[in-house]
Amino acid sequence: MSDHEDRETFCHDPIGHAEARAGMTVGELADSYGEAGIGAADIHEAVDIYAEMLDDDVTTFVGLAGAMVPTGMRAIVSELIRDGHVDVLVTTGANCTHDTIEAIGGKHHHGEVTAEGHTEREHDENLRDEGVDRIYNVYLPQEHFALFENHLREEVFTVLEDEGAVSIQRMTEELGRANSEVNEAKDVHEDAGVLAAAYEHDVPVYCPAFQDSVLGLQAWMYSQTSDFTVDALADMTSITDVAYEADSAGALVVGGGVPKNYVLQTMLVSPDAYDYAVQLTMDPANTGGLSGATLDEARSWGKLEKDARNVSVYADATITLPLVVAAARERVGE
């Protein structure tokens, strides 16, 4: 008899080896990850959990932080909305701003962190002189912000200023309507985007820190000479109602910050908590910051059910989001 047959924390589950062969589908690659360890195993579990969240009976909250739209993740989110896989979207003012810029004809461009023969500082000084804003290796010409301002003033704020104090969700709804209509009227080559898809499919978009963006700056400036104003607390009722009424709920948290917490905190005033949760982040947990905090930590607050299925994947979300979404959708036959 082996001296180790009474092991309590060990099970016989040997590591296999992932495959990477020509012709594999993304779903097959994700399944292959399940044979491996570390981040590959986390990706596999994220796909497994998110595939369950795609069930029509699961109310799905999506938190979309940072600058995911200008870095190329826009179509993934808008397609999930159009296909009925997002019940609530919580995002940043930056994503709303950049989504709108593309909806009305602007574009983001491939760029460089540094230019040959220059330091990063010299490169950014040159970009400033040339009127180009940089998001790591993505460029955005500043003239697009002038188009954005005109769009807000002519198509959005003028409609809302007669409604009294509006909720942030009402503002994003009106912005989605305007984006959809202008995109079609001007026959813009790029898709109308996230906010337009949400408007067209009655998906509420919450942007609790919208003041922290060009959208917020423009709203504030317009409010100085008009009756337009925003009630920042008004959204708390509607998003909490969605959580309260959900029979089963799942959270897909892309990045951290305000969208992450806003998604998770909805369950603090609901009788139940999330049954499923997937987090894609690069922030470490050991600094004590919210953005890297594990979803297991959220369980201690009552944001996740004790028996919830959850996983945190620590890697660049521009890599992991497309992989997880594509593999999960392949699994459920979409």
Side-chain angles (χ1 to χ4, degrees):
M1 178 181 293
S2 170
D3 293 336
H4 303 296
E5 287 188 0
D6 59 347
R7 288 169 170 159
E8 295 181 1
T9 59
F10 174 85
C11 62
H12 187 72
D13 185 15
I15 289 288
H17 298 280
E19 293 184 81
R21 51 182 169 76
M24 292 180 76
T25 67
V26 66
E28 289 172 338
L29 179 61
D31 287 343
S32 176
Y33 278 4
E35 299 293 328
I38 311 182
D42 291 337
I43 285 285
H44 176 266
E45 188 173 5
V47 171
D48 200 39
I49 295 171
Y50 187 57
E52 290 194 25
M53 287 171 55
L54 293 176
D55 189 286
D56 290 340
D57 293 332
V58 179
T59 300
T60 302
F61 292 69
V62 175
L64 190 70
M68 297 300 291
V69 165
T71 53
M73 300 296 106
R74 182 175 184 254
I76 294 172
V77 180
S78 60
E79 287 169 6
L80 284 173
I81 292 171
R82 290 192 174 97
D83 291 338
H85 296 310
V86 180
D87 295 291
V88 170
L89 175 64
V90 180
T91 191
T92 59
N95 280 324
C96 292
T97 297
H98 293 283
D99 177 61
T100 299
I101 285 173
E102 296 223 355
I104 62 177
K107 284 297 296 181
H108 300 83
H109 300 268
H110 291 284
E112 298 175 307
V113 178
T114 59
E116 184 176 353
H118 293 82
T119 66
E120 184 173 353
R121 175 168 178 161
E122 290 170 340
H123 178 50
D124 287 321
E125 288 174 351
N126 290 336
L127 289 175
R128 179 169 178 173
D129 291 340
E130 295 173 2
V132 177
D133 294 329
R134 179 170 73 89
I135 306 169
Y136 191 62
N137 60 358
V138 175
Y139 292 162
L140 177 65
Q142 290 179 359
E143 58 265 27
H144 291 329
F145 287 111
L147 297 175
F148 177 63
E149 178 181 1
N150 291 336
H151 179 67
L152 290 174
R153 288 175 172 267
E154 295 174 6
E155 304 289 342
V156 181
F157 295 154
T158 53
V159 176
L160 295 174
E161 64 180 318
D162 295 329
E163 296 185 13
V166 299
S167 68
I168 299 171
Q169 187 273 322
R170 174 71 184 98
M171 182 183 66
T172 61
E173 177 185 47
E174 194 61 29
L175 186 52
R177 176 205 59 78
N179 291 357
S180 178
E181 293 180 2
V182 170
N183 183 270
E184 182 176 1
K186 293 186 176 181
D187 194 25
V188 176
H189 174 72
E190 194 63 57
D191 182 86
V194 175
L195 295 179
Y199 168 76
E200 293 162 4
H201 294 271
D202 297 319
V203 173
V205 178
Y206 299 100
C207 187
F210 91 99
Q211 302 95 319
D212 183 29
S213 66
V214 175
L215 172 60
L217 286 171
Q218 291 297 335
W220 170 73
M221 286 190 286
Y222 191 83
S223 73
Q224 302 305 294
T225 57
S226 73
D227 293 328
F228 172 72
T229 187
V230 173
D231 180 352
L233 293 178
D235 288 338
M236 301 296 290
T237 300
S238 58
I239 191 171
T240 302
D241 284 347
V242 176
Y244 196 92
E245 295 168 5
D247 292 327
S248 180
L252 174 63
V253 180
V254 184
V258 173
K260 173 185 177 180
N261 191 64
Y262 204 73
V263 165
L264 295 179
Q265 76 172 15
T266 58
M267 293 302 175
L268 293 179
V269 288
S270 299
D272 300 310
Y274 284 108
D275 302 287
Y276 307 94
V278 172
Q279 173 178 239
L280 310 176
T281 184
M282 285 188 69
D283 292 292
N286 61 352
T287 63
L290 172 68
S291 295
T294 65
L295 293 172
D296 291 309
E297 180 179 307
R299 180 179 281 107
S300 75
W301 290 73
K303 299 172 182 177
L304 271 65
E305 296 288 357
K306 288 184 177 180
D307 61 352
R309 293 199 63 197
N310 61 275
V311 65
S312 295
V313 180
Y314 293 91
D316 181 351
T318 63
I319 299 170
T320 57
L321 178 63
L323 178 57
V324 169
V325 170
R329 298 194 70 171
E330 181 180 324
R331 182 175 298 185
V332 299
E334 293 191 346

